[in-house]
Amino acid sequence: MMKLKLLPKFILSLAVMGVLLTVAISFFSYENSKSYLEDMYAERVVTGSRSVADMLDAEDVKTIISEGGEQSEAYARVVSLLETLKEDGNITYLSLTIPDEDSVTFYIDICLPDMGDDPDDQIPYGSDILYTDAAVDEKDLENYEMVWEYYERGEQMTEPFVTDNDYGYNYTTVALIYDEDGTPIAEIQYILDMGEVRRHLNSFLMTMLAIALGIVALAMLGYIQFVRRAVTTPIGKLAAFTKEITESGRFENQHISVATGDEIEELGNSFNVMLRELENYIANLSRVTAEKERIGAELDIAAHIQASMLPCIFPAFPDREEFEVFATMNPAKEVGGDFYDFFMVDPTHIAIVMADVSGKGVPAALFMVIGKTLIKDHTLPDRDLGEVFTRVNDLLCEANSEGLFITAFEGVLDLATGELNFVNAGHEMPFLCKKGGSYEPYKIRPGFVLAGMEGMRYRGGSMTLDVGDRLFQYTDGVTEAMNAAGELYGMRRLGEVLNRCRDLTPTKLLPEIKADIDRFAGDAPQFDDITMLCLEYKAKA
């Protein structure tokens, strides 16, 4: 794509603006003049026709339109008067006529060869011409019929007809001649050729265009010289200086001087300040880059450490046939705040933990380590899980200067009886799938979050699992996964995919759920950690 420099852009924009301004001024002047002349000539035609009609004696007119009227003295007298008026008033067509419903009868049609009239075109005395023969087009026919309507009502026309056809561009009007009773007996047809006016207006428009274009062109030349001296030359100097610095890569001790006394000079001074700041920035950039690389490396190490703290070797208990457990955690950042855990409390009891720390990143990950360690350390054989969370909550509150909290669910399954004792601290309700049935949300009291308030008491609950039953637990990163349209994944979709894959083992189930979440989210970024755990009770101990 071709690029234009600043001065050609100025010239091009000024040229376009100049042409538009020229056309606007010229046409505005043209329309004003046109409106003035048309109104003036319209008034002249109406006034002139009435003046002619008023000069004629009604008795003379009656004599002329009576049989043999063309041989009368009145005819000669009126013809002489109309010839004088036509010549003095430079009237194009002047006639004495009587209209009818479908025709018009001509009694006098003035013809003056000295004014350019063709004697062959003169209409003879008493000629009755049908409107359909006289009219050039439908509009012209309507004008003839309207003249008859005015005559029939005995009303004078207040404005002329404007015709632009084969007869030319004319203003036409008629003025009624009344007898002593006020009844119309004839009319004066008065036509004025407006062609000369049109030619004058067209000439005026061309003259205005030429004058306006000349003035705009001179103004443009002066303005271009001003722009070149005050704008494009100093900006070009600044651009060349910038290009030289960019190509050379040298920023030390560089300076430009632009003395225009306006914003361009301020721009040059700002550029000099920017160069000095750039020197300092380049000097610090290597240190910042090194620090960023160090932090990135430490975050990678933290992510590996966090991953190693969660049980990640499956099958987790290859020598135990009573159950199968599988869990996954996908952090939204390098390190996450979700965690899961499962461990043997004693030979016949397995504990599962699912938790979500508020917040993201390193602070949440560190708080996660503390919470995970405390829950595991306080989960002992025959100890009530409500007491476990009560004690863990008090300890977390003591070391919670950042105001974080944890939602957590812990369950301990007795492998001999199938009894599952659990405690819930503000966490999502799990899904339970009975053998041969479907996954359904298991409604339990949510309880209060851990580390939210010191002195909270937690109460546990219990359910019984039969051989073949499964328990699915997760964090809110699953149900609150969002697509590009802002829709949440939700409990309904989670229940649908669980039941669609209910025949899969825990090891194969969780990847299918994660794949379904990814398909739903599409290109939308992951905002929260996604953690899931599934426990299947396969046989009694």
Side-chain angles (χ1 to χ4, degrees):
M1 181 179 178
M2 184 179 68
K3 295 182 178 180
L4 289 177
K5 291 186 176 295
L6 192 58
L7 185 59
K9 287 182 179 179
F10 266 114
I11 295 174
L12 182 60
S13 62
L14 281 173
V16 172
M17 184 177 65
V19 170
L20 293 177
L21 188 61
T22 298
V23 172
I25 293 173
S26 300
F27 274 95
F28 177 76
S29 302
Y30 170 81
E31 287 298 327
N32 276 349
S33 299
K34 180 173 180 290
S35 177
Y36 172 76
L37 290 175
E38 286 177 347
D39 290 345
M40 183 183 71
Y41 277 95
E43 183 178 358
R44 172 190 166 183
V45 169
V46 173
T47 304
S49 65
R50 292 185 183 181
S51 297
V52 173
D54 291 342
M55 290 181 185
L56 301 184
D57 185 82
E59 293 301 323
D60 287 345
V61 173
K62 288 180 180 180
T63 300
I64 292 170
I65 64 176
S66 63
E67 185 176 354
E70 63 179 327
Q71 304 299 328
S72 64
E73 292 182 5
Y75 179 84
R77 187 166 52 251
V78 171
V79 168
S80 176
L81 175 61
L82 294 181
E83 287 178 342
T84 301
L85 292 175
K86 173 177 168 62
E87 184 175 9
D88 291 345
N90 195 27
I91 304 168
T92 308
Y93 298 101
L94 189 61
S95 307
L96 177 66
T97 64
I98 297 178
D100 202 347
E101 185 175 359
D102 55 4
S103 64
V104 59
T105 302
F106 283 79
Y107 290 93
I108 297 177
D109 183 29
I110 301 301
C111 179
L112 296 177
D114 292 342
M115 292 183 65
D117 296 341
D118 187 352
D120 293 336
D121 293 335
Q122 185 177 20
I123 301 174
Y125 174 89
S127 298
D128 188 48
I129 302 175
L130 293 172
Y131 296 151
T132 54
D133 292 336
V136 176
D137 50 31
E138 288 295 327
K139 179 63 177 175
D140 205 21
L141 180 60
E142 291 176 5
N143 290 340
Y144 279 111
E145 292 172 347
M146 192 171 295
V147 168
W148 159 245
E149 292 175 2
Y150 273 104
Y151 185 84
E152 187 178 30
R153 295 194 303 266
E155 295 180 6
Q156 297 281 17
M157 291 179 59
T158 57
E159 58 183 22
F161 294 124
V162 180
T163 58
D164 192 359
N165 49 39
D166 293 344
Y167 292 144
Y169 177 46
N170 301 313
Y171 277 11
T172 302
T173 188
V174 296
L176 304 185
I177 303 171
Y178 303 96
D179 62 10
E180 62 275 6
D181 297 328
T183 302
I185 57 175
E187 64 184 12
I188 290 295
Q189 186 181 81
Y190 189 109
I191 301 177
L192 194 63
D193 183 8
M194 296 293 289
E196 187 62 33
V197 176
R198 172 179 282 178
R199 287 188 289 274
H200 169 76
L201 286 171
N202 291 339
S203 175
F204 174 78
L205 176 61
M206 293 299 104
T207 302
M208 283 298 302
L209 284 171
I211 293 174
L213 188 60
I215 294 174
V216 169
L218 291 175
M220 283 178 55
L221 290 175
Y223 188 70
I224 288 170
Q225 292 301 320
F226 167 75
V227 169
R228 177 182 292 171
R229 183 178 67 256
V231 179
T232 58
T233 298
I235 288 181
K237 179 180 178 181
L238 186 59
F241 177 70
T242 305
K243 182 178 180 182
E244 179 184 353
I245 291 177
T246 303
E247 291 177 350
S248 65
R250 294 186 298 103
F251 302 96
E252 299 82 2
N253 302 320
Q254 297 286 350
H255 181 83
I256 185 172
S257 177
V258 180
T260 60
D262 53 24
E263 289 84 355
I264 299 178
E265 181 175 340
E266 293 179 4
L267 178 63
N269 295 335
S270 298
F271 194 78
N272 291 329
V273 174
M274 183 187 69
L275 285 175
R276 291 193 294 271
E277 294 295 330
L278 191 58
E279 290 182 37
N280 296 331
Y281 174 78
I282 293 174
N284 294 328
L285 184 60
S286 58
R287 292 195 300 271
V288 173
T289 302
E291 181 68 14
K292 185 176 180 179
E293 291 176 352
R294 182 186 65 78
I295 293 174
E298 291 180 356
L299 284 175
D300 287 340
I301 295 173
H304 286 299
I305 292 174
Q306 183 185 38
S308 66
M309 292 186 64
L310 303 179
C312 55
I313 299 175
F314 298 97
F317 302 96
D319 56 337
R320 303 300 297 256
E321 298 180 354
E322 301 95 328
F323 63 89
E324 179 181 352
V325 64
F326 186 71
T328 61
M329 198 274 278
N330 300 95
K333 294 187 176 181
E334 291 84 354
V335 290
D338 285 5
F339 68 90
Y340 66 84
D341 200 2
F342 48 83
F343 50 89
M344 298 301 299
V345 181
D346 59 30
T348 60
H349 291 81
I350 180 173
I352 60 171
V353 179
M354 178 66 63
D356 182 1
V357 180
S358 63
K360 304 288 183 294
V362 174
L366 293 175
F367 205 61
M368 176 272 281
V369 172
I370 298 173
K372 177 180 180 298
T373 303
L374 290 175
I375 292 174
K376 186 172 184 179
D377 288 347
H378 286 79
T379 302
L380 302 173
D382 298 326
R383 188 171 187 180
D384 181 72
L385 293 181
E387 295 180 6
V388 172
F389 270 29
T390 297
R391 180 56 181 158
V392 170
N393 176 71
D394 290 339
L395 293 173
L396 288 174
C397 287
E398 294 176 2
N400 190 15
S401 60
E402 298 297 324
L404 300 174
F405 62 85
I406 302 175
T407 68
F409 172 90
E410 182 178 17
V412 175
L413 176 63
D414 188 332
L415 299 175
T417 65
E419 182 181 15
L420 176 70
N421 293 309
F422 60 83
V423 62
N424 189 23
H427 202 74
E428 275 64 38
M429 65 180 71
F431 278 80
L432 179 63
C433 180
K434 304 300 287 184
K435 182 178 180 180
S438 60
Y439 282 93
E440 299 291 342
Y442 189 85
K443 296 182 180 180
I444 55 178
R445 291 178 66 252
F448 196 67
V449 297
L450 298 176
M453 183 182 298
E454 192 173 0
M456 292 297 299
R457 304 292 298 176
Y458 295 85
R459 295 176 58 187
S462 66
M463 68 175 82
T464 299
L465 299 185
D466 298 322
V467 174
D469 292 353
R470 296 176 186 169
L471 185 71
F472 174 81
Q473 185 57 286
Y474 56 96
T475 60
D476 60 4
V478 174
T479 54
E480 294 180 4
M482 188 178 297
N483 61 17
E487 299 172 324
L488 297 179
Y489 187 74
M491 291 279 290
R492 180 180 60 81
R493 287 188 178 87
L494 178 58
E496 289 174 355
V497 70
L498 281 170
N499 287 309
R500 191 167 61 245
C501 304
R502 63 177 174 269
D503 295 331
L504 298 180
T505 63
T507 304
K508 296 181 178 180
L509 174 65
L510 300 193
E512 286 295 324
I513 298 174
K514 182 59 169 62
D516 191 69
I517 295 173
D518 292 340
R519 285 191 296 270
F520 170 80
D523 296 332
Q526 180 182 334
F527 289 104
D528 201 357
D529 305 333
I530 295 177
T531 307
M532 297 176 286
L533 180 147
C534 186
L535 172 68
E536 180 179 4
Y537 184 33
K538 302 179 69 174
K540 292 187 177 182

